[in-house]
Amino acid sequence: MSEFVRKVSRKLSKLSPEQLERVMESVNGENRTLNSTIESLSTGLIIVDADFRFIKSNKAAERLLPFKKRPSGDKAGDLPLWELVDDEYISSFLMLCSNERKTNVSEEFSLSAGDKTRFVTVKIVPLVEKQASGDGNSFDTTITGSVITVEDITERTQQEVMLHRMESLAGLTNLAASVAHEIKNPLGAISIHIQLLQKSVKKSRDGDGMLPKEKFMENYLDVINEEIDSLNKIVVDFLFAVRPLQVNMSLSDPDALIEKFAGFFRPEFDSKGVRVELRLCKDSPRLFIDEKLFRELIINLAQNALAAMEERFLQPGSDTGGESGCLLIESHVKDGKYLLNIADNGAGMDEATVSKIFEPYYTTKATGTGLGLTMVYKIVKEFKGDIDVKSVKGHGTVFSISLPVPQKETMLLENKAGGVKLIGDS
């Protein structure tokens, strides 16, 4: 309200009809300007009372959020806002904030739209009303409801993913060097055997003109074909290691997924006498992850753990002192990060092996490709996380994964006069 209208409103009883008309025109003009400003915002805006019942919104809010019923429509009735929202997670967030009187909080959500996924941030701040004090020289602040903003962060999220991938390309130098080393040996073998074939053919033509014996030719050709197959596998694995992952990020509960994946691999562990133990968060946060890639990450680490425990406990003549294999998966949240530990009491690794464990083509298995843990590393980095490994030879290994929890908070400062002041307010 303008200062003019504020002053005039105190003297309404003394105003003439013409003066009252001027006041109404001024109020209507301010309302039109305010409504136009709100509707022009690209950020969604919803204003609710202290019980989270709808007061006002703009078109951007109704476009960005899925509603069962339009909050501004007649069918919305007197329902609280969370009963109007057609998304389980957003609805639960709004209900929790209302029931626990939470303000100055925000959370990110993913919304499916056909084959595409949109990401939005929903932020709740208090609706603060200023009222003149009794002496008329100062103002008291009262929280009368909440202001909910909805921001589309899809483009920003996609740009962050692209930037992260570009940064990952910096590591291709070492990978290319590894591939060059791997290709060198098969190429050398192919070259030597082709030279041997050429000499044999030339010698025969210079002599009796007869080609070498069929078995002699086939032996050389078989070796060449084997090396060509080896080269092809190296190239395929290289593309697998460097090609950007096809990621479909969404907000998912990691602990619920781990319990689901454990049900998949637990029978194999049970059949080999290896115990699977889960110690997961009671209320794990939802993370921006790809469920399929997260499954690959967990299964890959679990299979590596099983192989390590087989090496220690199931080898003939193994003396384990009565100890049996155990895979422990535990999670907790600390300092805005979701921490996941995957531990086993298997054969363990020495320091030299640990230092190279995530390098492409490095493997201690006779039949391994050396790309399993490279893929695990790629997936963790795609999720903007970190992974670390600690191992003791003959005792076991722990893989520690840290993933960011997508949650922000708006800070408040307390006014010395007892009111509430948002940071940035004058």
Side-chain angles (χ1 to χ4, degrees), residues 6-122:
R6 191 188 306 277
K7 291 180 179 179
V8 169
S9 64
R10 299 172 186 169
K11 304 177 181 180
L12 287 176
S13 60
K14 300 178 181 179
L15 298 181
S16 65
E18 292 78 11
Q19 290 173 322
L20 283 173
E21 186 176 350
R22 284 179 56 199
V23 171
M24 291 303 299
E25 287 178 356
S26 178
V27 170
N28 287 334
E30 287 194 4
N31 282 337
R32 285 195 299 270
T33 301
L34 177 62
N35 288 331
S36 298
T37 302
I38 291 175
E39 290 299 335
S40 299
L41 294 174
S42 59
T43 298
L45 184 68
I46 303 174
I47 302 173
V48 295
D49 63 16
D51 296 319
F52 264 64
R53 286 177 171 78
F54 174 81
I55 296 176
K56 189 175 184 59
S57 69
N58 63 359
K59 292 180 180 178
E62 297 187 16
R63 174 176 55 82
L64 292 173
L65 285 184
F67 286 102
K68 300 175 186 176
K69 301 174 183 177
R70 289 183 59 197
S72 57
D74 296 335
K75 295 182 179 180
D78 201 27
L79 295 173
L81 185 64
W82 65 80
E83 292 192 21
L84 304 177
V85 175
D86 191 17
D87 181 88
E88 175 186 356
Y89 293 111
I90 298 178
S91 177
S92 298
F93 172 69
L94 295 174
M95 183 170 63
L96 177 67
C97 292
S98 175
N99 293 341
E100 298 186 4
R101 299 297 178 185
K102 286 187 175 183
T103 57
N104 307 297
V105 294
S106 68
E107 190 163 333
E108 295 179 356
F109 300 91
S110 59
L111 299 169
S112 296
D115 58 346
K116 295 182 179 180
T117 301
R118 288 191 299 109
F119 301 97
V120 298
T121 297
V122 178

Side-chain angles (χ1 to χ4, degrees), residues 31 71 83 98 109 134 140 177 185 203 243 247 251 335 358 416 419:
N31 282 337
E83 292 192 21
S98 175
F109 300 91
D140 295 327
N185 291 335
K203 183 178 179 181
R243 183 176 290 139
V247 181
L251 279 165
D335 298 332
F358 296 118
K416 290 184 179 179

Side-chain angles (χ1 to χ4, degrees), residues 18 33-34 54 62 81 100 141 151-152 162 167 198-199 238 247 249 251 259 265 272 289 305 322 333 337 344 401:
E18 292 78 11
T33 301
L34 177 62
F54 174 81
E62 297 187 16
L81 185 64
E100 298 186 4
T141 56
E151 183 180 359
D152 190 333
M162 291 301 297
E167 292 173 349
Q198 288 172 334
K199 288 180 180 180
F238 173 74
V247 181
M249 304 285 271
L251 279 165
E259 289 183 350
F265 61 72
K272 297 182 179 180
I289 54 177
V333 177
K337 294 183 180 295
D344 67 73
I401 298 170

Side-chain angles (χ1 to χ4, degrees), residues 158-282:
Q158 291 173 344
Q159 288 176 347
E160 289 175 353
V161 170
M162 291 301 297
L163 178 61
H164 181 71
R165 288 179 178 175
M166 290 176 66
E167 292 173 349
S168 299
L169 291 176
L172 287 181
T173 302
N174 292 334
L175 183 58
S178 299
V179 172
H181 177 76
E182 292 292 326
I183 288 177
K184 186 176 179 180
N185 291 335
L187 284 177
I190 290 173
S191 177
I192 290 172
H193 284 80
I194 288 177
Q195 290 176 32
L196 291 173
L197 279 173
Q198 288 172 334
K199 288 180 180 180
S200 298
V201 171
K202 185 177 183 301
K203 183 178 179 181
S204 297
R205 285 178 176 171
D206 292 342
D208 55 14
M210 299 293 292
L211 290 175
K213 294 180 180 180
E214 183 178 356
K215 187 176 181 181
F216 176 83
M217 299 281 287
E218 286 179 346
N219 286 340
Y220 284 150
L221 291 172
D222 286 344
V223 172
I224 291 173
N225 285 330
E226 288 175 4
E227 296 299 333
I228 289 174
D229 289 341
S230 177
L231 280 174
N232 183 64
K233 184 176 184 304
I234 290 171
V235 172
V236 170
D237 288 345
F238 173 74
L239 293 175
F240 175 77
V242 302
R243 183 176 290 139
L245 297 173
Q246 297 297 318
V247 181
N248 182 22
M249 304 285 271
S250 62
L251 279 165
S252 303
D253 183 341
D255 285 355
L257 293 175
I258 290 171
E259 289 183 350
K260 178 181 176 182
F261 303 154
F264 170 77
F265 61 72
R266 194 188 296 270
E268 181 182 3
F269 280 63
D270 290 341
S271 69
K272 297 182 179 180
V274 176
R275 188 173 78 258
V276 177
E277 186 175 344
L278 304 182
R279 299 177 188 171
L280 305 177
C281 298
K282 293 182 179 179

Side-chain angles (χ1 to χ4, degrees), residues 304-306 308-309 326-328 342-348 395-399:
N304 273 276
L306 180 60
M309 288 183 284
C326 176
L327 173 68
L328 171 63
I342 300 177
D344 67 73
N345 59 345
H395 292 278
T397 302
V398 180
F399 284 91

